[in-house]
Amino acid sequence: MNVVECAQWLKEHDNILIITHTRPDGDTLGSAAALCSALRRCGKSAALYKNPEITDKYYKYVSAYIADDFEYSCVVATDVAEKHMICGGFSGDVQLCIDHHPSNSNYAENLLLNAGKASCGEIVLEVIKELCGDVSPEEASLLYMAVSTDCGCFRYANVTAETFAAASELVSCGARVQALNFDLFRQVSKARIVLEGLICSGLKFYSEGKIVVATVTEKMMQEAGATENDCDDIAGIPGRVEGCVLSLVIRELEPEKCKVSARSHPEFDCSALCARFGGGGHKMASGCVVRATPEETCEMLVSAASEVL
């Protein structure tokens, strides 16, 4: 689909349930909530599925769009690249997916994909304009959250001129930029600061410092007093080391199950690396889940990455 066809599809449907991905970030949630708001402005019945993993950090922004008992006729996914990434508790078919991941598996009946965008929010912005003719201040704020969080407040390599143009447009539409930037990027909890200290003190270096690995165990989380709400964007921590080409954050979810977040410079394909372990994403930002201990996961990922380097 293109944007016009997507908007037309939405105009022809009603009772729309919007779903997000596991461990939801600002992009999937902001895109979903903004789209829901626009659909309601069009007179449609729409709601977000209550993703059980939404953290307090984002819940306050999207709670007004969540419905527990919503009778829906069709399902739309935002920023969900693969069917197994759909949030827990939901089962069923997806009629439309709006996404920016090049690794999208085309699981939905209809797909609006633009892999050149830094965030799904940029695509939803164009859909809303086609759907409603304008963007409300509330939608602008939600979309700014989507765009800014997926590019690290415009610090990541996925940022393009179009990303800045979208952000500028959202500011013009009334996005609460100052308040969002403070809440999302400047203010953190005491537990997050302690956790960062533990992460940094345990960094491991491979391939002459080109590969930097951070491990976050359940024990570290307990020691810091941290929750999922304190783990937003920890994937970017090891990549700050000078000379790093590939950074890996290995997060222990439960015994012998780890989530890996990979970030890299343009010369290394994170998506190809994570695909070896059943994951995917973008060339410079991808992830996967490995059924192993943190130590075993580190050994496997570093071995595979070293072959490429």
Side-chain angles (χ1 to χ4, degrees):
M1 278 185 166
N2 57 37
V3 169
V4 174
E5 291 168 338
C6 178
Q8 185 60 40
W9 187 94
L10 290 168
K11 289 176 182 178
E12 294 171 356
H13 291 76
D14 202 357
N15 302 315
I16 301 168
L17 180 69
I18 307 173
I19 59 174
T20 52
H21 61 63
T22 58
R23 297 186 176 277
D25 57 14
D27 193 18
T28 189
L29 292 170
S31 297
L35 181 60
C36 183
S37 172
L39 288 168
R40 290 178 179 180
R41 284 202 294 135
C42 290
K44 302 289 184 181
S45 177
L48 267 63
Y49 180 82
K50 190 172 184 179
N51 189 326
E53 296 182 296
I54 301 177
T55 61
D56 294 340
K57 181 174 185 175
Y58 294 117
Y59 188 79
K60 58 181 177 287
Y61 294 110
V62 303
S63 60
Y65 303 99
I66 295 172
D68 290 322
D69 299 311
F70 180 71
E71 295 186 7
Y72 58 92
S73 302
C74 56
V75 179
V76 176
T78 56
D79 196 44
V80 184
E82 300 181 52
K83 194 165 186 176
H84 74 265
M85 291 296 294
I86 293 172
C87 60
F90 176 82
S91 61
D93 296 326
V94 178
Q95 282 69 51
L96 170 64
C97 175
I98 303 173
D99 192 21
H100 70 127
H101 292 96
S103 62
N104 189 288
S105 61
N106 203 20
Y107 62 90
E109 293 176 16
N110 299 281
L111 173 63
L112 171 58
L113 176 68
N114 189 335
K117 297 293 188 181
S119 65
C120 185
E122 294 172 63
I123 308 171
V124 173
L125 170 61
E126 298 304 315
V127 173
I128 290 176
K129 288 192 294 183
E130 185 66 32
L131 193 63
C132 301
D134 62 359
V135 180
S136 74
E138 170 69 5
E139 291 155 14
S141 291
L142 290 166
L143 290 175
Y144 181 83
M145 179 176 77
V147 173
S148 63
T149 54
D150 231 35
C151 66
C153 203
F154 311 98
R155 292 179 293 119
Y156 296 162
N158 61 344
V159 175
T160 66
E162 290 181 346
T163 313
F164 286 115
S168 177
E169 183 176 356
L170 293 170
V171 173
S172 298
C173 292
R176 296 178 288 109
V177 174
Q178 290 79 13
L180 286 164
N181 282 344
F182 182 81
D183 185 37
L184 298 173
F185 304 108
R186 292 184 58 199
Q187 182 173 251
V188 296
S189 67
K190 176 184 175 182
R192 170 57 183 253
I193 292 292
V194 173
L195 182 62
E196 284 193 19
L198 295 173
I199 291 172
C200 291
S201 64
L203 291 177
K204 296 179 181 179
F205 304 88
Y206 303 89
S207 297
E208 299 178 338
K210 292 180 180 179
I211 301 175
V212 184
V213 181
T215 301
V216 183
T217 64
E218 290 185 302
K219 182 180 178 181
M220 290 168 62
M221 292 286 288
Q222 293 169 3
E223 185 176 338
T227 66
E228 193 64 39
N229 203 47
D230 303 304
C231 294
D232 196 53
D233 200 33
I234 58 173
I237 294 175
R240 299 201 298 251
V241 177
E242 186 178 6
C244 174
V245 174
L246 169 68
S247 67
L248 301 170
V249 172
I250 299 171
R251 170 83 185 279
E252 184 181 30
L253 302 178
E254 57 188 58
E256 298 195 0
K257 181 181 179 181
C258 295
K259 178 182 182 294
V260 179
S261 298
R263 302 290 184 267
S264 72
H265 286 199
E267 60 264 36
F268 190 94
D269 191 343
C270 283
S271 182
L273 172 66
C274 291
R276 294 192 184 191
F277 300 89
H282 301 282
K283 182 179 179 181
M284 291 181 285
S286 294
C288 60
V289 174
V290 179
R291 296 282 180 175
T293 66
E295 295 78 11
E296 293 167 341
T297 300
C298 179
E299 183 179 347
M300 287 188 287
L301 266 293
V302 169
S303 176
S306 296
E307 293 176 14
V308 179
L309 285 174

